[in-house]
Amino acid sequence: MLELNYIRENKNDVISGLEKRNFKDLGLIEEIILTDKIRRETQKNLDSKLHEANSLTKEIGLFFKSGNIKKAENFKLKSAEIKTTTKLLQEKLDSIEKKLSELRFQVPNIPNSIVKKGFSEKDNEEIETFGKINKLEENLIPHWELAKKYNLIDFDLGSKITGAGFPVYIDKGAKLQRALINFFIDKNVKAGYREIQVPLLVNEASGIGTGQLPDKEGQMYHVNNENLYLIPTSEVPLTNIYRNKIINENALPIKMTSYTPCFRREAGSYGSHVRGLNRLHQFDKVEIVEIVKPEESDNALNKMISHVKDILIELELPSRILRLCSGDLGFTSSLTYDFELYSVGQKKWLEVSSVSNFESFQSERLQLRYKTKKGEKNLLHTLNGSSLALPRVIAALLENNQSKDGIRIPKALIPYTNFDMIYWNLKKLNILKNDFSKTKKKIRSTFPER
């Protein structure tokens, strides 16, 4: 969330940034400032009463020591009154702080100055395109047909076991999935990211810390009895490793990567745009997270963008980079770049990665700070990116590499798959051959040659 000092001292800039986001409830800012003023006044009164209570305690001790029992008893009555007042003030302060937090939770991050004013994904800026689209083959089909033809993914079986949006990967489909995970992790580790395996369930404090709660609770799977949430991305547990931490300056930057299954309810999603691997309730993703000093976050973001771009270049997939407009920006993000792959079977672009700079928005919630060499304690900046989300990568990989002979595996991925082509279902061919041989023998036994 936004820092209180920043809101107080830069009210007009905050309102201007929220207007750029098309945020309607601008009255929240005035309410936050007023509530904060009441909070500070209440805190001042509480501190004064606590100081008075401490002074009285010392005086009561002196009176008892000097034998002035009557005076001591009178001061004890006064002390009891002050304790009652401090209790009421503390309860009032707790209530005000709770209200203030609830108000601040409703305010999104301020867009970076380079973010274009816009209202939807139609207003996003295309920054760069790279890679070649498969235009050589005719009658290119979408990945869900390829998955069925080559027996790679069974969507119906997933629906039987769990429900829609939970596919089952089979044989070379499962191997391709595992190969991509290992490829992505290896690329990230080589780039200096520390590999970490994290829990798939997080508590409410973790969800609040990275901004999924209370903004996106409708998209998260909730385990009621334990009040835990299935993670929508490993960004949540990775970043929360450092919640309520003060990090020494010489330990920065912190770079982490993790592979996890991810879970999103995607409530209300339906239609052709969710078909096949386009949108799932459970999917695999490799994530990268960085925690850096404020003056280094712009450079860190650019390096993350270059890193994801290099991975897609190695996968030989037609790609583009978009800078999100203010209207398409995520709640916690100040600046986001999306990577999309072209789906030749569907003739549309599919998002496979978002690389974002949250600046100090998450750190304020997390109370994630660093200690300078001078002893100052300042908020850090957090960044994260998908490196990469697997379903749509697989969709684009299958579609863009299909041919009459089979599906070609990109050169960089072959050491991980141990095969360079996915051919049409040879098992089925063998069954047909066996059935034909049996039929032929049966005919011969029924009609022996004369």
Side-chain angles (χ1 to χ4, degrees):
M1 54 188 152
L2 298 176
E3 297 173 62
L4 276 172
N5 287 342
Y6 183 79
I7 294 173
R8 280 198 305 266
E9 297 168 11
N10 303 276
K11 184 181 79 171
N12 292 336
D13 289 342
V14 171
I15 290 173
S16 177
L18 293 176
E19 286 176 337
K20 187 177 183 180
R21 257 190 183 270
N22 312 307
F23 186 72
K24 303 299 181 185
D25 197 2
L26 297 173
L28 271 175
I29 302 306
E30 287 290 357
E31 191 174 357
I32 287 170
I33 291 171
L34 177 60
T35 305
D36 181 50
K37 183 180 178 182
I38 296 170
R39 179 192 65 82
R40 286 183 287 127
E41 289 172 352
T42 305
Q43 182 70 66
K44 185 177 179 181
N45 291 337
L46 177 60
D47 291 342
S48 176
K49 288 296 179 183
L50 288 170
H51 177 73
E52 188 178 350
N54 288 335
S55 298
L56 278 174
T57 300
K58 290 178 182 178
E59 290 189 49
I60 290 167
L62 291 172
F63 285 132
F64 273 119
K65 192 174 183 180
S66 65
N68 195 340
I69 307 301
K70 186 176 180 180
K71 195 80 171 178
E73 291 296 336
N74 288 336
F75 270 53
K76 279 180 73 177
L77 291 172
K78 190 176 180 181
S79 177
E81 291 175 3
I82 292 173
K83 284 181 179 178
T84 301
T85 302
T86 56
K87 183 182 177 183
L88 292 172
L89 282 170
Q90 185 63 61
E91 289 173 354
K92 181 182 178 182
L93 182 63
D94 292 343
S95 177
I96 292 168
E97 287 181 338
K98 182 181 178 183
K99 179 184 176 182
L100 187 58
S101 292
E102 289 171 352
L103 291 171
R104 293 172 69 197
F105 283 149
Q106 298 175 54
V107 181
N109 204 352
I110 301 300
N112 189 286
S113 59
I114 66 171
V115 173
K116 173 189 170 185
K117 168 77 173 177
F119 298 91
S120 70
E121 60 183 22
K122 295 178 182 177
D123 299 315
N124 293 338
E125 299 177 271
E126 186 177 290
I127 303 302
E128 183 182 359
T129 59
F130 53 95
K132 294 181 180 179
I133 296 174
N134 185 349
K135 295 180 180 178
L136 300 177
E137 302 289 341
E138 296 180 356
N139 302 318
L140 296 176
I141 59 177
H143 66 272
W144 54 83
E145 292 184 24
L146 291 166
K148 186 174 183 179
K149 177 180 177 180
Y150 290 90
N151 195 32
L152 302 173
I153 307 167
D154 195 322
F155 296 100
D156 293 333
L157 185 56
S159 295
K160 174 188 175 182
I161 296 169
T162 309
F166 295 88
V168 174
Y169 296 83
I170 300 167
D171 295 330
K172 286 192 174 178
K175 290 178 181 177
L176 181 59
Q177 179 99 335
R178 181 159 46 89
L180 282 166
I181 291 166
N182 290 333
F183 174 64
F184 294 154
I185 285 287
D186 284 353
K187 294 296 292 183
N188 295 343
V189 169
K190 190 176 180 181
Y193 293 91
R194 182 185 180 193
E195 184 178 359
I196 297 178
Q197 189 172 5
V198 293
L200 304 183
L201 288 159
V202 293
N203 56 32
E204 190 175 50
S206 294
I208 289 171
T210 45
Q212 278 68 31
L213 299 174
D215 180 52
K216 296 183 178 68
E217 63 267 34
Q219 297 179 22
M220 298 176 73
Y221 285 98
H222 186 217
V223 182
N224 290 316
N225 292 343
E226 288 80 14
N227 193 28
L228 297 174
Y229 294 85
L230 282 166
I231 61 169
T233 166
S234 59
E235 168 209 340
V236 181
L238 281 175
T239 312
N240 271 279
I241 290 172
Y242 295 93
R243 173 159 41 97
N244 297 324
K245 291 278 189 180
I246 298 173
I247 300 166
N248 287 328
E249 189 174 11
N250 57 10
L252 298 167
I254 293 169
K255 299 174 69 174
M256 300 174 285
T257 185
S258 183
Y259 152 69
T260 63
C262 302
F263 306 87
R264 297 183 189 178
R265 290 181 61 206
E266 302 284 8
S269 295
Y270 58 91
S272 61
H273 68 290
V274 301
R275 191 168 181 185
L277 297 172
N278 287 348
R279 188 167 294 176
L280 302 175
H281 295 304
Q282 177 183 327
F283 60 96
D284 290 329
K285 183 153 71 84
V286 177
E287 194 82 358
I288 50 176
V289 168
E290 292 201 31
I291 299 171
V292 302
K293 291 190 288 186
E295 63 269 23
E296 295 173 358
S297 67
D298 287 342
N299 187 46
L301 180 67
N302 291 332
K303 286 183 177 180
M304 290 173 84
I305 292 167
S306 296
H307 175 66
V308 175
K309 177 184 173 182
D310 288 343
I311 291 175
L312 292 178
I313 288 173
E314 285 201 51
L315 288 178
E316 306 168 41
L317 294 171
S319 313
R320 70 175 182 178
I321 305 173
L322 304 176
R323 182 162 57 222
L324 300 194
C325 72
S326 60
D328 200 28
L329 207 59
F331 186 88
T332 55
S333 177
S334 172
L335 177 61
T336 294
Y337 290 84
D338 272 4
F339 285 79
E340 296 184 341
L341 299 179
Y342 190 71
S343 163
V344 292
Q346 301 176 78
K347 295 181 172 57
K348 67 177 183 180
W349 291 94
L350 304 174
E351 179 205 330
V352 293
S353 173
S354 287
V355 181
S356 301
N357 188 350
F358 306 110
E359 298 186 353
S360 63
F361 193 85
Q362 288 183 332
S363 293
E364 173 69 7
R365 291 185 176 212
L366 294 159
Q367 281 303 289
L368 169 53
R369 295 168 288 170
Y370 74 104
K371 189 175 182 180
T372 67
K373 293 174 183 176
K374 295 180 180 179
E376 298 172 344
K377 295 174 184 177
N378 301 322
L379 288 173
L380 287 155
H381 280 195
T382 60
L383 306 93
N384 90 285
S386 308
S387 180
L388 291 140
L390 270 77
R392 294 175 185 173
V393 172
I394 289 178
L397 193 151
L398 296 179
E399 292 181 9
N400 283 282
N401 291 287
Q402 60 182 298
S403 70
K404 63 179 182 297
D405 299 320
I407 299 171
R408 184 184 67 86
I409 300 298
K411 185 178 178 182
L413 210 55
I414 294 172
Y416 294 88
T417 59
N418 290 318
F419 53 84
D420 59 0
M421 285 283 290
I422 300 175
Y423 295 100
W424 191 69
N425 199 331
L426 295 178
K427 185 178 178 182
K428 189 172 182 180
L429 278 176
N430 289 332
I431 290 171
L432 290 172
K433 286 179 182 178
N434 290 336
D435 287 346
F436 178 73
S437 297
K438 289 176 183 176
T439 303
K440 192 174 178 181
K441 288 178 181 178
K442 189 174 181 180
I443 292 170
R444 283 180 175 173
S445 65
T446 307
F447 303 100
E449 292 180 4
R450 294 179 182 177

